[in-house]
Amino acid sequence: MDLQLHNKVIIITGGLKGIGGGITLSLAREGAIPVIISRSNDRKFEEQLCSITKQYKIYIFDLSNYSIIESLAQKILNEYPNIYALVNNAGANDNLAIETTSLNEVIQSYANNLFHYYELTRVLLPSIKKNQGAILNIVSKTGITGQGKTSAYASAKAAQIGFTREWACAFAKDNVKE
C-alpha cells in the first residue's frame, strides 16, 4: 500500500513496543522516517526496525517529565524541522481505583497518560501545520465506557478524546488531519 509517506518525518511516542511498535514498523515499511520517543530502548525491536530502514531516530525520554517536553521537542525540531505527523501513543493503564488512589497519584497518572499529548502537540503544531500533516491520538474505549477500578486512566483517555475532537475542529482550516 502506498500511503504517500515516503521521507515524511513522523514522531511516535511509545513507539518501540505494543501498538506504538506496530505503528512504527508500518510507517517504516511505507518509507516514512520514524522518530521514536520511548522511556527505554529495545535492542531487539531496533534490530527489526533497522532491517526495514536505516532512517530513524530514537529519543530515550520519560514523557511523564512534562515540564521539560518542550526542550525535547525543540531538540527534535532542530534535527527534523519538517515534522509531518505526530502519533501520541505512550501511556499505560495503571488500574488506579478511586477508593485507593490519592489526588497526587491521579496527577501522576495524568503525567504518564495525558499531559504529553497536549505538550508535544502544542510545540510541534507549527511544523505539522506547515506540512499540512496529521495528529493521531491513540485512545482507549475506557475513555467512553469506563472499565471499573481505573478512574485515573479512564478520565485521561476521555480527555484525549476531547483533545482529538477539539483539535480536529481547530486545525481543519490548516488542512491538519486528526
Side-chain angles (χ1 to χ4, degrees), residues 88 114 117 121 135-140 157-172 176-178:
N88 282 314
L114 177 63
Y117 276 52
T121 301
I135 301 164
L136 176 63
N137 292 330
I138 305 299
V139 300
S140 168
K157 291 299 176 178
Q160 291 169 358
I161 293 167
F163 285 162
T164 304
R165 289 179 177 156
E166 169 58 22
W167 296 342
C169 294
F171 310 146
V176 171
K177 295 155 282 303
E178 276 294 313

mmCIF file with all atom_site columns, all heavy atoms in Angstrom, residues 88 114 117 121 135-140 157-172 176-178:
data_model
loop_
_atom_site.group_PDB
_atom_site.id
_atom_site.type_symbol
_atom_site.label_atom_id
_atom_site.label_alt_id
_atom_site.label_comp_id
_atom_site.label_asym_id
_atom_site.label_entity_id
_atom_site.label_seq_id
_atom_site.pdbx_PDB_ins_code
_atom_site.Cartn_x
_atom_site.Cartn_y
_atom_site.Cartn_z
_atom_site.occupancy
_atom_site.B_iso_or_equiv
_atom_site.pdbx_formal_charge
_atom_site.auth_seq_id
_atom_site.auth_comp_id
_atom_site.auth_asym_id
_atom_site.auth_atom_id
_atom_site.pdbx_PDB_model_num
ATOM 1   N N   . ASN A 1 88  ? 0.530   10.345 19.051 1.00 0.00 ? 88  ASN A N   1
ATOM 2   C CA  . ASN A 1 88  ? 0.513   10.349 20.514 1.00 0.00 ? 88  ASN A CA  1
ATOM 3   C C   . ASN A 1 88  ? -0.001  8.985  20.961 1.00 0.00 ? 88  ASN A C   1
ATOM 4   O O   . ASN A 1 88  ? -1.182  8.679  20.824 1.00 0.00 ? 88  ASN A O   1
ATOM 5   C CB  . ASN A 1 88  ? -0.422  11.454 21.029 1.00 0.00 ? 88  ASN A CB  1
ATOM 6   C CG  . ASN A 1 88  ? 0.192   12.823 20.954 1.00 0.00 ? 88  ASN A CG  1
ATOM 7   O OD1 . ASN A 1 88  ? 1.333   13.016 21.333 1.00 0.00 ? 88  ASN A OD1 1
ATOM 8   N ND2 . ASN A 1 88  ? -0.572  13.790 20.464 1.00 0.00 ? 88  ASN A ND2 1
ATOM 9   N N   . LEU A 1 114 ? -1.515  11.686 29.796 1.00 0.00 ? 114 LEU A N   1
ATOM 10  C CA  . LEU A 1 114 ? -2.279  12.772 29.198 1.00 0.00 ? 114 LEU A CA  1
ATOM 11  C C   . LEU A 1 114 ? -1.470  14.006 28.837 1.00 0.00 ? 114 LEU A C   1
ATOM 12  O O   . LEU A 1 114 ? -1.530  14.482 27.706 1.00 0.00 ? 114 LEU A O   1
ATOM 13  C CB  . LEU A 1 114 ? -3.416  13.178 30.152 1.00 0.00 ? 114 LEU A CB  1
ATOM 14  C CG  . LEU A 1 114 ? -4.291  14.345 29.731 1.00 0.00 ? 114 LEU A CG  1
ATOM 15  C CD1 . LEU A 1 114 ? -5.044  14.014 28.456 1.00 0.00 ? 114 LEU A CD1 1
ATOM 16  C CD2 . LEU A 1 114 ? -5.255  14.711 30.853 1.00 0.00 ? 114 LEU A CD2 1
ATOM 17  N N   . TYR A 1 117 ? 0.456   14.400 25.537 1.00 0.00 ? 117 TYR A N   1
ATOM 18  C CA  . TYR A 1 117 ? -0.327  14.546 24.300 1.00 0.00 ? 117 TYR A CA  1
ATOM 19  C C   . TYR A 1 117 ? -0.472  16.041 23.988 1.00 0.00 ? 117 TYR A C   1
ATOM 20  O O   . TYR A 1 117 ? -0.272  16.469 22.865 1.00 0.00 ? 117 TYR A O   1
ATOM 21  C CB  . TYR A 1 117 ? -1.725  13.934 24.456 1.00 0.00 ? 117 TYR A CB  1
ATOM 22  C CG  . TYR A 1 117 ? -1.833  12.445 24.229 1.00 0.00 ? 117 TYR A CG  1
ATOM 23  C CD1 . TYR A 1 117 ? -1.010  11.536 24.876 1.00 0.00 ? 117 TYR A CD1 1
ATOM 24  C CD2 . TYR A 1 117 ? -2.805  11.936 23.378 1.00 0.00 ? 117 TYR A CD2 1
ATOM 25  C CE1 . TYR A 1 117 ? -1.144  10.175 24.683 1.00 0.00 ? 117 TYR A CE1 1
ATOM 26  C CE2 . TYR A 1 117 ? -2.948  10.572 23.167 1.00 0.00 ? 117 TYR A CE2 1
ATOM 27  C CZ  . TYR A 1 117 ? -2.118  9.705  23.825 1.00 0.00 ? 117 TYR A CZ  1
ATOM 28  O OH  . TYR A 1 117 ? -2.255  8.355  23.616 1.00 0.00 ? 117 TYR A OH  1
ATOM 29  N N   . THR A 1 121 ? 1.951   18.144 21.093 1.00 0.00 ? 121 THR A N   1
ATOM 30  C CA  . THR A 1 121 ? 1.132   18.718 20.023 1.00 0.00 ? 121 THR A CA  1
ATOM 31  C C   . THR A 1 121 ? 1.324   20.228 19.969 1.00 0.00 ? 121 THR A C   1
ATOM 32  O O   . THR A 1 121 ? 1.524   20.801 18.893 1.00 0.00 ? 121 THR A O   1
ATOM 33  C CB  . THR A 1 121 ? -0.345  18.361 20.218 1.00 0.00 ? 121 THR A CB  1
ATOM 34  O OG1 . THR A 1 121 ? -0.483  16.936 20.216 1.00 0.00 ? 121 THR A OG1 1
ATOM 35  C CG2 . THR A 1 121 ? -1.214  18.958 19.123 1.00 0.00 ? 121 THR A CG2 1
ATOM 36  N N   . ILE A 1 135 ? -2.208  14.550 13.115 1.00 0.00 ? 135 ILE A N   1
ATOM 37  C CA  . ILE A 1 135 ? -2.016  14.222 14.525 1.00 0.00 ? 135 ILE A CA  1
ATOM 38  C C   . ILE A 1 135 ? -2.914  13.028 14.802 1.00 0.00 ? 135 ILE A C   1
ATOM 39  O O   . ILE A 1 135 ? -4.118  13.078 14.542 1.00 0.00 ? 135 ILE A O   1
ATOM 40  C CB  . ILE A 1 135 ? -2.398  15.392 15.445 1.00 0.00 ? 135 ILE A CB  1
ATOM 41  C CG1 . ILE A 1 135 ? -1.554  16.619 15.113 1.00 0.00 ? 135 ILE A CG1 1
ATOM 42  C CG2 . ILE A 1 135 ? -2.241  14.990 16.921 1.00 0.00 ? 135 ILE A CG2 1
ATOM 43  C CD1 . ILE A 1 135 ? -2.095  17.915 15.687 1.00 0.00 ? 135 ILE A CD1 1
ATOM 44  N N   . LEU A 1 136 ? -2.322  11.954 15.291 1.00 0.00 ? 136 LEU A N   1
ATOM 45  C CA  . LEU A 1 136 ? -3.076  10.744 15.606 1.00 0.00 ? 136 LEU A CA  1
ATOM 46  C C   . LEU A 1 136 ? -2.956  10.499 17.105 1.00 0.00 ? 136 LEU A C   1
ATOM 47  O O   . LEU A 1 136 ? -1.859  10.265 17.614 1.00 0.00 ? 136 LEU A O   1
ATOM 48  C CB  . LEU A 1 136 ? -2.516  9.547  14.826 1.00 0.00 ? 136 LEU A CB  1
ATOM 49  C CG  . LEU A 1 136 ? -3.136  8.192  15.123 1.00 0.00 ? 136 LEU A CG  1
ATOM 50  C CD1 . LEU A 1 136 ? -4.616  8.173  14.752 1.00 0.00 ? 136 LEU A CD1 1
ATOM 51  C CD2 . LEU A 1 136 ? -2.389  7.097  14.381 1.00 0.00 ? 136 LEU A CD2 1
ATOM 52  N N   . ASN A 1 137 ? -4.080  10.584 17.798 1.00 0.00 ? 137 ASN A N   1
ATOM 53  C CA  . ASN A 1 137 ? -4.119  10.308 19.232 1.00 0.00 ? 137 ASN A CA  1
ATOM 54  C C   . ASN A 1 137 ? -4.643  8.894  19.441 1.00 0.00 ? 137 ASN A C   1
ATOM 55  O O   . ASN A 1 137 ? -5.783  8.594  19.091 1.00 0.00 ? 137 ASN A O   1
ATOM 56  C CB  . ASN A 1 137 ? -5.029  11.302 19.956 1.00 0.00 ? 137 ASN A CB  1
ATOM 57  C CG  . ASN A 1 137 ? -4.476  12.702 19.956 1.00 0.00 ? 137 ASN A CG  1
ATOM 58  O OD1 . ASN A 1 137 ? -3.261  12.897 19.937 1.00 0.00 ? 137 ASN A OD1 1
ATOM 59  N ND2 . ASN A 1 137 ? -5.337  13.687 19.979 1.00 0.00 ? 137 ASN A ND2 1
ATOM 60  N N   . ILE A 1 138 ? -3.805  8.036  20.002 1.00 0.00 ? 138 ILE A N   1
ATOM 61  C CA  . ILE A 1 138 ? -4.231  6.683  20.324 1.00 0.00 ? 138 ILE A CA  1
ATOM 62  C C   . ILE A 1 138 ? -4.940  6.758  21.676 1.00 0.00 ? 138 ILE A C   1
ATOM 63  O O   . ILE A 1 138 ? -4.353  7.159  22.679 1.00 0.00 ? 138 ILE A O   1
ATOM 64  C CB  . ILE A 1 138 ? -3.032  5.709  20.387 1.00 0.00 ? 138 ILE A CB  1
ATOM 65  C CG1 . ILE A 1 138 ? -2.234  5.746  19.078 1.00 0.00 ? 138 ILE A CG1 1
ATOM 66  C CG2 . ILE A 1 138 ? -3.502  4.303  20.732 1.00 0.00 ? 138 ILE A CG2 1
ATOM 67  C CD1 . ILE A 1 138 ? -3.007  5.349  17.837 1.00 0.00 ? 138 ILE A CD1 1
ATOM 68  N N   . VAL A 1 139 ? -6.208  6.407  21.671 1.00 0.00 ? 139 VAL A N   1
ATOM 69  C CA  . VAL A 1 139 ? -7.026  6.477  22.875 1.00 0.00 ? 139 VAL A CA  1
ATOM 70  C C   . VAL A 1 139 ? -7.483  5.064  23.235 1.00 0.00 ? 139 VAL A C   1
ATOM 71  O O   . VAL A 1 139 ? -6.968  4.091  22.707 1.00 0.00 ? 139 VAL A O   1
ATOM 72  C CB  . VAL A 1 139 ? -8.211  7.454  22.692 1.00 0.00 ? 139 VAL A CB  1
ATOM 73  C CG1 . VAL A 1 139 ? -7.701  8.860  22.381 1.00 0.00 ? 139 VAL A CG1 1
ATOM 74  C CG2 . VAL A 1 139 ? -9.171  6.991  21.625 1.00 0.00 ? 139 VAL A CG2 1
ATOM 75  N N   . SER A 1 140 ? -8.437  4.963  24.124 1.00 0.00 ? 140 SER A N   1
ATOM 76  C CA  . SER A 1 140 ? -8.945  3.662  24.541 1.00 0.00 ? 140 SER A CA  1
ATOM 77  C C   . SER A 1 140 ? -10.447 3.760  24.743 1.00 0.00 ? 140 SER A C   1
ATOM 78  O O   . SER A 1 140 ? -10.967 4.814  25.137 1.00 0.00 ? 140 SER A O   1
ATOM 79  C CB  . SER A 1 140 ? -8.281  3.256  25.861 1.00 0.00 ? 140 SER A CB  1
ATOM 80  O OG  . SER A 1 140 ? -8.946  2.138  26.431 1.00 0.00 ? 140 SER A OG  1
ATOM 81  N N   . LYS A 1 157 ? -8.007  9.092  29.264 1.00 0.00 ? 157 LYS A N   1
ATOM 82  C CA  . LYS A 1 157 ? -8.392  8.685  27.910 1.00 0.00 ? 157 LYS A CA  1
ATOM 83  C C   . LYS A 1 157 ? -9.588  9.508  27.418 1.00 0.00 ? 157 LYS A C   1
ATOM 84  O O   . LYS A 1 157 ? -9.657  9.853  26.237 1.00 0.00 ? 157 LYS A O   1
ATOM 85  C CB  . LYS A 1 157 ? -8.687  7.185  27.854 1.00 0.00 ? 157 LYS A CB  1
ATOM 86  C CG  . LYS A 1 157 ? -7.441  6.328  28.032 1.00 0.00 ? 157 LYS A CG  1
ATOM 87  C CD  . LYS A 1 157 ? -6.440  6.621  26.927 1.00 0.00 ? 157 LYS A CD  1
ATOM 88  C CE  . LYS A 1 157 ? -5.135  5.907  27.067 1.00 0.00 ? 157 LYS A CE  1
ATOM 89  N NZ  . LYS A 1 157 ? -4.218  6.171  25.949 1.00 0.00 ? 157 LYS A NZ  1
ATOM 90  N N   . ALA A 1 158 ? -10.512 9.823  28.295 1.00 0.00 ? 158 ALA A N   1
ATOM 91  C CA  . ALA A 1 158 ? -11.643 10.681 27.912 1.00 0.00 ? 158 ALA A CA  1
ATOM 92  C C   . ALA A 1 158 ? -11.135 12.072 27.516 1.00 0.00 ? 158 ALA A C   1
ATOM 93  O O   . ALA A 1 158 ? -11.626 12.665 26.544 1.00 0.00 ? 158 ALA A O   1
ATOM 94  C CB  . ALA A 1 158 ? -12.649 10.773 29.050 1.00 0.00 ? 158 ALA A CB  1
ATOM 95  N N   . ALA A 1 159 ? -10.163 12.571 28.236 1.00 0.00 ? 159 ALA A N   1
ATOM 96  C CA  . ALA A 1 159 ? -9.581  13.872 27.891 1.00 0.00 ? 159 ALA A CA  1
ATOM 97  C C   . ALA A 1 159 ? -8.872  13.800 26.542 1.00 0.00 ? 159 ALA A C   1
ATOM 98  O O   . ALA A 1 159 ? -8.946  14.745 25.747 1.00 0.00 ? 159 ALA A O   1
ATOM 99  C CB  . ALA A 1 159 ? -8.612  14.333 28.983 1.00 0.00 ? 159 ALA A CB  1
ATOM 100 N N   . GLN A 1 160 ? -8.191  12.694 26.254 1.00 0.00 ? 160 GLN A N   1
ATOM 101 C CA  . GLN A 1 160 ? -7.550  12.535 24.943 1.00 0.00 ? 160 GLN A CA  1
ATOM 102 C C   . GLN A 1 160 ? -8.590  12.581 23.821 1.00 0.00 ? 160 GLN A C   1
ATOM 103 O O   . GLN A 1 160 ? -8.358  13.168 22.766 1.00 0.00 ? 160 GLN A O   1
ATOM 104 C CB  . GLN A 1 160 ? -6.773  11.218 24.872 1.00 0.00 ? 160 GLN A CB  1
ATOM 105 C CG  . GLN A 1 160 ? -5.556  11.177 25.747 1.00 0.00 ? 160 GLN A CG  1
ATOM 106 C CD  . GLN A 1 160 ? -4.968  9.778  25.849 1.00 0.00 ? 160 GLN A CD  1
ATOM 107 O OE1 . GLN A 1 160 ? -5.497  8.815  25.294 1.00 0.00 ? 160 GLN A OE1 1
ATOM 108 N NE2 . GLN A 1 160 ? -3.862  9.662  26.574 1.00 0.00 ? 160 GLN A NE2 1
ATOM 109 N N   . ILE A 1 161 ? -9.735  11.971 24.053 1.00 0.00 ? 161 ILE A N   1
ATOM 110 C CA  . ILE A 1 161 ? -10.825 12.019 23.069 1.00 0.00 ? 161 ILE A CA  1
ATOM 111 C C   . ILE A 1 161 ? -11.281 13.464 22.893 1.00 0.00 ? 161 ILE A C   1
ATOM 112 O O   . ILE A 1 161 ? -11.511 13.918 21.775 1.00 0.00 ? 161 ILE A O   1
ATOM 113 C CB  . ILE A 1 161 ? -11.980 11.084 23.486 1.00 0.00 ? 161 ILE A CB  1
ATOM 114 C CG1 . ILE A 1 161 ? -11.524 9.619  23.425 1.00 0.00 ? 161 ILE A CG1 1
ATOM 115 C CG2 . ILE A 1 161 ? -13.218 11.319 22.611 1.00 0.00 ? 161 ILE A CG2 1
ATOM 116 C CD1 . ILE A 1 161 ? -12.459 8.634  24.105 1.00 0.00 ? 161 ILE A CD1 1
ATOM 117 N N   . GLY A 1 162 ? -11.377 14.196 23.988 1.00 0.00 ? 162 GLY A N   1
ATOM 118 C CA  . GLY A 1 162 ? -11.732 15.613 23.918 1.00 0.00 ? 162 GLY A CA  1
ATOM 119 C C   . GLY A 1 162 ? -10.711 16.417 23.132 1.00 0.00 ? 162 GLY A C   1
ATOM 120 O O   . GLY A 1 162 ? -11.073 17.261 22.297 1.00 0.00 ? 162 GLY A O   1
ATOM 121 N N   . PHE A 1 163 ? -9.419  16.163 23.383 1.00 0.00 ? 163 PHE A N   1
ATOM 122 C CA  . PHE A 1 163 ? -8.368  16.822 22.597 1.00 0.00 ? 163 PHE A CA  1
ATOM 123 C C   . PHE A 1 163 ? -8.573  16.538 21.112 1.00 0.00 ? 163 PHE A C   1
ATOM 124 O O   . PHE A 1 163 ? -8.498  17.437 20.280 1.00 0.00 ? 163 PHE A O   1
ATOM 125 C CB  . PHE A 1 163 ? -6.973  16.300 22.974 1.00 0.00 ? 163 PHE A CB  1
ATOM 126 C CG  . PHE A 1 163 ? -6.402  16.781 24.272 1.00 0.00 ? 163 PHE A CG  1
ATOM 127 C CD1 . PHE A 1 163 ? -5.352  16.078 24.852 1.00 0.00 ? 163 PHE A CD1 1
ATOM 128 C CD2 . PHE A 1 163 ? -6.866  17.914 24.918 1.00 0.00 ? 163 PHE A CD2 1
ATOM 129 C CE1 . PHE A 1 163 ? -4.771  16.505 26.047 1.00 0.00 ? 163 PHE A CE1 1
ATOM 130 C CE2 . PHE A 1 163 ? -6.297  18.342 26.109 1.00 0.00 ? 163 PHE A CE2 1
ATOM 131 C CZ  . PHE A 1 163 ? -5.252  17.642 26.668 1.00 0.00 ? 163 PHE A CZ  1
ATOM 132 N N   . THR A 1 164 ? -8.800  15.291 20.781 1.00 0.00 ? 164 THR A N   1
ATOM 133 C CA  . THR A 1 164 ? -8.929  14.887 19.376 1.00 0.00 ? 164 THR A CA  1
ATOM 134 C C   . THR A 1 164 ? -10.078 15.627 18.699 1.00 0.00 ? 164 THR A C   1
ATOM 135 O O   . THR A 1 164 ? -9.920  16.158 17.595 1.00 0.00 ? 164 THR A O   1
ATOM 136 C CB  . THR A 1 164 ? -9.132  13.365 19.270 1.00 0.00 ? 164 THR A CB  1
ATOM 137 O OG1 . THR A 1 164 ? -8.036  12.714 19.933 1.00 0.00 ? 164 THR A OG1 1
ATOM 138 C CG2 . THR A 1 164 ? -9.204  12.911 17.823 1.00 0.00 ? 164 THR A CG2 1
ATOM 139 N N   . ARG A 1 165 ? -11.223 15.671 19.345 1.00 0.00 ? 165 ARG A N   1
ATOM 140 C CA  . ARG A 1 165 ? -12.376 16.367 18.769 1.00 0.00 ? 165 ARG A CA  1
ATOM 141 C C   . ARG A 1 165 ? -12.100 17.860 18.618 1.00 0.00 ? 165 ARG A C   1
ATOM 142 O O   . ARG A 1 165 ? -12.397 18.464 17.592 1.00 0.00 ? 165 ARG A O   1
ATOM 143 C CB  . ARG A 1 165 ? -13.603 16.141 19.643 1.00 0.00 ? 165 ARG A CB  1
ATOM 144 C CG  . ARG A 1 165 ? -14.125 14.737 19.570 1.00 0.00 ? 165 ARG A CG  1
ATOM 145 C CD  . ARG A 1 165 ? -15.324 14.560 20.470 1.00 0.00 ? 165 ARG A CD  1
ATOM 146 N NE  . ARG A 1 165 ? -15.855 13.219 20.316 1.00 0.00 ? 165 ARG A NE  1
ATOM 147 C CZ  . ARG A 1 165 ? -16.564 12.595 21.224 1.00 0.00 ? 165 ARG A CZ  1
ATOM 148 N NH1 . ARG A 1 165 ? -16.863 13.209 22.361 1.00 0.00 ? 165 ARG A NH1 1
ATOM 149 N NH2 . ARG A 1 165 ? -17.015 11.382 21.010 1.00 0.00 ? 165 ARG A NH2 1
ATOM 150 N N   . GLU A 1 166 ? -11.533 18.460 19.653 1.00 0.00 ? 166 GLU A N   1
ATOM 151 C CA  . GLU A 1 166 ? -11.245 19.893 19.612 1.00 0.00 ? 166 GLU A CA  1
ATOM 152 C C   . GLU A 1 166 ? -10.222 20.221 18.540 1.00 0.00 ? 166 GLU A C   1
ATOM 153 O O   . GLU A 1 166 ? -10.390 21.166 17.762 1.00 0.00 ? 166 GLU A O   1
ATOM 154 C CB  . GLU A 1 166 ? -10.747 20.367 20.983 1.00 0.00 ? 166 GLU A CB  1
ATOM 155 C CG  . GLU A 1 166 ? -10.178 21.766 21.016 1.00 0.00 ? 166 GLU A CG  1
ATOM 156 C CD  . GLU A 1 166 ? -11.139 22.863 20.560 1.00 0.00 ? 166 GLU A CD  1
ATOM 157 O OE1 . GLU A 1 166 ? -12.364 22.664 20.588 1.00 0.00 ? 166 GLU A OE1 1
ATOM 158 O OE2 . GLU A 1 166 ? -10.648 23.938 20.171 1.00 0.00 ? 166 GLU A OE2 1
ATOM 159 N N   . TRP A 1 167 ? -9.155  19.442 18.481 1.00 0.00 ? 167 TRP A N   1
ATOM 160 C CA  . TRP A 1 167 ? -8.110  19.739 17.512 1.00 0.00 ? 167 TRP A CA  1
ATOM 161 C C   . TRP A 1 167 ? -8.584  19.510 16.079 1.00 0.00 ? 167 TRP A C   1
ATOM 162 O O   . TRP A 1 167 ? -8.165  20.227 15.167 1.00 0.00 ? 167 TRP A O   1
ATOM 163 C CB  . TRP A 1 167 ? -6.858  18.916 17.820 1.00 0.00 ? 167 TRP A CB  1
ATOM 164 C CG  . TRP A 1 167 ? -6.243  19.266 19.157 1.00 0.00 ? 167 TRP A CG  1
ATOM 165 C CD1 . TRP A 1 167 ? -6.451  20.401 19.897 1.00 0.00 ? 167 TRP A CD1 1
ATOM 166 C CD2 . TRP A 1 167 ? -5.338  18.470 19.911 1.00 0.00 ? 167 TRP A CD2 1
ATOM 167 N NE1 . TRP A 1 167 ? -5.725  20.360 21.060 1.00 0.00 ? 167 TRP A NE1 1
ATOM 168 C CE2 . TRP A 1 167 ? -5.030  19.184 21.100 1.00 0.00 ? 167 TRP A CE2 1
ATOM 169 C CE3 . TRP A 1 167 ? -4.757  17.221 19.714 1.00 0.00 ? 167 TRP A CE3 1
ATOM 170 C CZ2 . TRP A 1 167 ? -4.162  18.687 22.067 1.00 0.00 ? 167 TRP A CZ2 1
ATOM 171 C CZ3 . TRP A 1 167 ? -3.894  16.731 20.681 1.00 0.00 ? 167 TRP A CZ3 1
ATOM 172 C CH2 . TRP A 1 167 ? -3.592  17.463 21.841 1.00 0.00 ? 167 TRP A CH2 1
ATOM 173 N N   . ALA A 1 168 ? -9.445  18.521 15.872 1.00 0.00 ? 168 ALA A N   1
ATOM 174 C CA  . ALA A 1 168 ? -9.994  18.310 14.522 1.00 0.00 ? 168 ALA A CA  1
ATOM 175 C C   . ALA A 1 168 ? -10.734 19.555 14.055 1.00 0.00 ? 168 ALA A C   1
ATOM 176 O O   . ALA A 1 168 ? -10.591 19.975 12.898 1.00 0.00 ? 168 ALA A O   1
ATOM 177 C CB  . ALA A 1 168 ? -10.915 17.096 14.508 1.00 0.00 ? 168 ALA A CB  1
ATOM 178 N N   . CYS A 1 169 ? -11.506 20.160 14.939 1.00 0.00 ? 169 CYS A N   1
ATOM 179 C CA  . CYS A 1 169 ? -12.217 21.402 14.598 1.00 0.00 ? 169 CYS A CA  1
ATOM 180 C C   . CYS A 1 169 ? -11.241 22.570 14.442 1.00 0.00 ? 169 CYS A C   1
ATOM 181 O O   . CYS A 1 169 ? -11.312 23.329 13.476 1.00 0.00 ? 169 CYS A O   1
ATOM 182 C CB  . CYS A 1 169 ? -13.237 21.744 15.677 1.00 0.00 ? 169 CYS A CB  1
ATOM 183 S SG  . CYS A 1 169 ? -14.589 20.577 15.800 1.00 0.00 ? 169 CYS A SG  1
ATOM 184 N N   . ALA A 1 170 ? -10.339 22.718 15.386 1.00 0.00 ? 170 ALA A N   1
ATOM 185 C CA  . ALA A 1 170 ? -9.435  23.868 15.412 1.00 0.00 ? 170 ALA A CA  1
ATOM 186 C C   . ALA A 1 170 ? -8.454  23.883 14.243 1.00 0.00 ? 170 ALA A C   1
ATOM 187 O O   . ALA A 1 170 ? -8.115  24.958 13.737 1.00 0.00 ? 170 ALA A O   1
ATOM 188 C CB  . ALA A 1 170 ? -8.666  23.897 16.733 1.00 0.00 ? 170 ALA A CB  1
ATOM 189 N N   . PHE A 1 171 ? -7.996  22.718 13.784 1.00 0.00 ? 171 PHE A N   1
ATOM 190 C CA  . PHE A 1 171 ? -6.944  22.671 12.782 1.00 0.00 ? 171 PHE A CA  1
ATOM 191 C C   . PHE A 1 171 ? -7.440  22.305 11.393 1.00 0.00 ? 171 PHE A C   1
ATOM 192 O O   . PHE A 1 171 ? -6.651  22.221 10.453 1.00 0.00 ? 171 PHE A O   1
ATOM 193 C CB  . PHE A 1 171 ? -5.837  21.677 13.192 1.00 0.00 ? 171 PHE A CB  1
ATOM 194 C CG  . PHE A 1 171 ? -5.333  21.872 14.597 1.00 0.00 ? 171 PHE A CG  1
ATOM 195 C CD1 . PHE A 1 171 ? -4.941  20.786 15.356 1.00 0.00 ? 171 PHE A CD1 1
ATOM 196 C CD2 . PHE A 1 171 ? -5.258  23.130 15.164 1.00 0.00 ? 171 PHE A CD2 1
ATOM 197 C CE1 . PHE A 1 171 ? -4.484  20.948 16.666 1.00 0.00 ? 171 PHE A CE1 1
ATOM 198 C CE2 . PHE A 1 171 ? -4.803  23.312 16.472 1.00 0.00 ? 171 PHE A CE2 1
ATOM 199 C CZ  . PHE A 1 171 ? -4.416  22.219 17.214 1.00 0.00 ? 171 PHE A CZ  1
ATOM 200 N N   . ALA A 1 172 ? -8.741  22.122 11.228 1.00 0.00 ? 172 ALA A N   1
ATOM 201 C CA  . ALA A 1 172 ? -9.290  21.775 9.906  1.00 0.00 ? 172 ALA A CA  1
ATOM 202 C C   . ALA A 1 172 ? -8.941  22.841 8.870  1.00 0.00 ? 172 ALA A C   1
ATOM 203 O O   . ALA A 1 172 ? -8.596  22.512 7.727  1.00 0.00 ? 172 ALA A O   1
ATOM 204 C CB  . ALA A 1 172 ? -10.798 21.575 9.992  1.00 0.00 ? 172 ALA A CB  1
ATOM 205 N N   . VAL A 1 176 ? -4.845  20.106 8.628  1.00 0.00 ? 176 VAL A N   1
ATOM 206 C CA  . VAL A 1 176 ? -4.219  19.138 9.509  1.00 0.00 ? 176 VAL A CA  1
ATOM 207 C C   . VAL A 1 176 ? -5.276  18.067 9.801  1.00 0.00 ? 176 VAL A C   1
ATOM 208 O O   . VAL A 1 176 ? -6.388  18.378 10.194 1.00 0.00 ? 176 VAL A O   1
ATOM 209 C CB  . VAL A 1 176 ? -3.717  19.784 10.818 1.00 0.00 ? 176 VAL A CB  1
ATOM 210 C CG1 . VAL A 1 176 ? -3.262  18.719 11.814 1.00 0.00 ? 176 VAL A CG1 1
ATOM 211 C CG2 . VAL A 1 176 ? -2.584  20.749 10.520 1.00 0.00 ? 176 VAL A CG2 1
ATOM 212 N N   . LYS A 1 177 ? -4.891  16.833 9.576  1.00 0.00 ? 177 LYS A N   1
ATOM 213 C CA  . LYS A 1 177 ? -5.821  15.722 9.776  1.00 0.00 ? 177 LYS A CA  1
ATOM 214 C C   . LYS A 1 177 ? -5.702  15.177 11.196 1.00 0.00 ? 177 LYS A C   1
ATOM 215 O O   . LYS A 1 177 ? -4.615  15.056 11.722 1.00 0.00 ? 177 LYS A O   1
ATOM 216 C CB  . LYS A 1 177 ? -5.551  14.633 8.742  1.00 0.00 ? 177 LYS A CB  1
ATOM 217 C CG  . LYS A 1 177 ? -5.832  15.105 7.316  1.00 0.00 ? 177 LYS A CG  1
ATOM 218 C CD  . LYS A 1 177 ? -5.047  14.356 6.263  1.00 0.00 ? 177 LYS A CD  1
ATOM 219 C CE  . LYS A 1 177 ? -3.618  14.717 6.063  1.00 0.00 ? 177 LYS A CE  1
ATOM 220 N NZ  . LYS A 1 177 ? -3.223  16.067 5.739  1.00 0.00 ? 177 LYS A NZ  1
ATOM 221 N N   . GLU A 1 178 ? -6.840  14.867 11.780 1.00 0.00 ? 178 GLU A N   1
ATOM 222 C CA  . GLU A 1 178 ? -6.895  14.267 13.106 1.00 0.00 ? 178 GLU A CA  1
ATOM 223 C C   . GLU A 1 178 ? -7.348  12.850 12.992 1.00 0.00 ? 178 GLU A C   1
ATOM 224 O O   . GLU A 1 178 ? -8.224  12.515 12.270 1.00 0.00 ? 178 GLU A O   1
ATOM 225 C CB  . GLU A 1 178 ? -7.884  15.008 14.005 1.00 0.00 ? 178 GLU A CB  1
ATOM 226 C CG  . GLU A 1 178 ? -7.333  16.225 14.677 1.00 0.00 ? 178 GLU A CG  1
ATOM 227 C CD  . GLU A 1 178 ? -6.255  15.959 15.693 1.00 0.00 ? 178 GLU A CD  1
ATOM 228 O OE1 . GLU A 1 178 ? -6.373  15.079 16.539 1.00 0.00 ? 178 GLU A OE1 1
ATOM 229 O OE2 . GLU A 1 178 ? -5.269  16.665 15.639 1.00 0.00 ? 178 GLU A OE2 1
#
